[in-house]
Amino acid sequence: MARIEEYTEDAPAKGQKPRVQSKKRARPAYVTAYLFLYNTASSLAWFYLLVLITLHLAGISKTAVENHLPASTHQYLRGGLLPLKLAYGPANPIGKHHWAPQWAVQVLERASTLYMVIGPAVKWIQTGALLEVVHSALGWVRSPLTTTVMQVASRIIVVWGITDQYPSTHSNPIYASMVLAWSLTEVVRYAFYACNVLGLEPYALLWVRYTTFYILYPIGAPSEAFLMFSTLPVTLFPPRYNLGSFTLSNWIVLVLYAVWWPSLYFLYTYMIRQRRKVLGGPRKKVE
């Protein structure tokens, strides 16, 4: 699931000064240095992915992978119905009526080849987030351990349990919307943490961190869910399914897909409340 950003190390409410750790809770210098390097490296790594994603989707990087798509995938893409039928897999072909503008078809085709460009890099860079569980367990950051485990595990499930195990997801353009939302989120999040461990809290970065989720979270989390759904032996258009053919892994994916949606609503509304707490919001009139 898209990363939750409400758990910061020292997020002050609007108008308050950044919290200063007491001597009892002050980090050793080597821990501060390590966390700064880790967060800086992570931000740069996701920025590198963001550049690759942007260049590829814009058609600026002349990658040859576009010609490696199966002919059937090109046919589905050129059907023009892809934006409305987001979750497709081998058993879920897209319609055949071409009405989408040519530029949109080209972007979708590039999106369908993005995994070939950045797939392995995304998998390993995201796996590096496992260290965040270690940081929380050791008490180096204030993020709750349980929450951190859930956040990291959700992404690990997607990169190792879904995209790594189901090759059909590699040509699904939803993968592109997912990693685009991830990269934009993580560049800001890790940059904020890098500043935070040094006792810095630029308001512009704070504002961006607690505002971009309005757009990025509804893009990232549903993309993860639809990518999961695309691995199921189900046809949406027309609706066809055979529950008897479901394997254990199919049932697990279906449960995860069902859980994703209420979790999206809960975490999205939580982030809205958290933003009001950190950046301030409309105040009730006192009579």
Side-chain angles (χ1 to χ4, degrees), residues 30-100:
Y30 70 90
V31 173
T32 298
Y34 162 76
L35 290 176
F36 174 76
L37 292 176
Y38 169 80
N39 288 301
T40 300
S42 298
S43 183
L44 291 175
W46 283 102
F47 180 75
Y48 168 73
L49 292 177
L50 179 59
V51 171
L52 293 181
I53 294 169
T54 303
L55 294 177
H56 184 75
L57 294 181
I60 298 175
S61 60
K62 302 299 181 180
T63 54
V65 294
E66 292 190 12
N67 295 325
H68 295 172
L69 281 177
S72 59
T73 301
H74 278 294
Q75 178 183 1
Y76 300 156
L77 288 169
R78 295 187 181 281
L81 296 180
L82 188 63
L84 299 180
K85 302 178 180 180
L86 293 177
Y88 80 89
N92 222 353
I94 305 303
K96 300 179 180 179
H97 303 290
H98 182 79
W99 56 264

Side-chain angles (χ1 to χ4, degrees), residues 15-282:
Q16 294 181 349
K17 295 181 179 180
R19 298 173 189 146
V20 179
Q21 293 180 324
S22 63
K23 293 183 178 180
K24 181 179 180 180
R25 299 190 60 184
R27 301 188 192 94
Y30 70 90
V31 173
T32 298
Y34 162 76
L35 290 176
F36 174 76
L37 292 176
Y38 169 80
N39 288 301
T40 300
S42 298
S43 183
L44 291 175
W46 283 102
F47 180 75
Y48 168 73
L49 292 177
L50 179 59
V51 171
L52 293 181
I53 294 169
T54 303
L55 294 177
H56 184 75
L57 294 181
I60 298 175
S61 60
K62 302 299 181 180
T63 54
V65 294
E66 292 190 12
N67 295 325
H68 295 172
L69 281 177
S72 59
T73 301
H74 278 294
Q75 178 183 1
Y76 300 156
L77 288 169
R78 295 187 181 281
L81 296 180
L82 188 63
L84 299 180
K85 302 178 180 180
L86 293 177
Y88 80 89
N92 222 353
I94 305 303
K96 300 179 180 179
H97 303 290
H98 182 79
W99 56 264
Q102 184 62 27
W103 67 265
V105 174
Q106 292 175 349
V107 171
L108 291 171
E109 286 179 340
R110 296 178 196 129
S112 298
T113 61
L114 182 62
Y115 182 90
M116 303 178 195
V117 179
I118 66 170
V122 170
K123 180 171 63 177
W124 289 110
I125 290 174
Q126 182 56 57
T127 301
L130 288 171
L131 288 173
E132 295 185 32
V133 177
V134 178
H135 302 164
S136 180
L138 294 177
W140 290 354
V141 296
R142 294 179 58 186
S143 301
L145 179 60
T146 302
T147 303
T148 303
V149 170
M150 292 175 61
Q151 293 173 352
V152 174
S154 64
R155 290 276 190 92
I156 296 299
I157 289 173
V158 173
V159 297
W160 287 101
I162 302 298
T163 60
D164 191 63
Q165 299 299 316
Y166 296 92
S168 63
T169 62
H170 299 177
S171 59
N172 194 322
I174 296 175
Y175 177 83
S177 61
M178 180 183 72
V179 295
L180 178 60
W182 283 7
S183 59
L184 287 169
T185 298
E186 300 298 51
V187 167
V188 175
R189 187 174 73 90
Y190 282 117
F192 180 84
Y193 282 160
C195 293
N196 188 259
V197 296
L198 297 181
L200 304 175
E201 214 160 52
Y203 182 79
L205 192 58
L206 181 69
W207 185 90
V208 170
R209 181 170 181 255
Y210 281 96
T211 303
T212 53
F213 80 91
Y214 277 118
I215 298 176
L216 298 179
Y217 198 70
I219 294 175
S223 295
E224 296 165 13
F226 282 125
L227 198 64
M228 291 181 184
F229 190 83
S230 72
T231 66
L232 299 176
V234 173
T235 300
L236 291 180
F237 307 97
R240 294 177 183 174
Y241 60 91
N242 180 9
L243 297 182
S245 66
F246 273 40
T247 64
L248 177 60
S249 61
N250 291 149
W251 283 109
I252 293 175
V253 170
L254 185 60
V255 170
L256 289 172
Y257 175 79
V259 170
W260 238 248
W261 298 104
S263 300
L264 168 60
Y265 173 78
F266 172 79
L267 296 175
Y268 191 67
T269 54
Y270 191 100
M271 276 298 301
I272 293 176
R273 295 193 300 269
Q274 189 69 13
R275 184 182 188 276
R276 290 172 181 169
K277 176 182 177 181
V278 175
L279 298 180

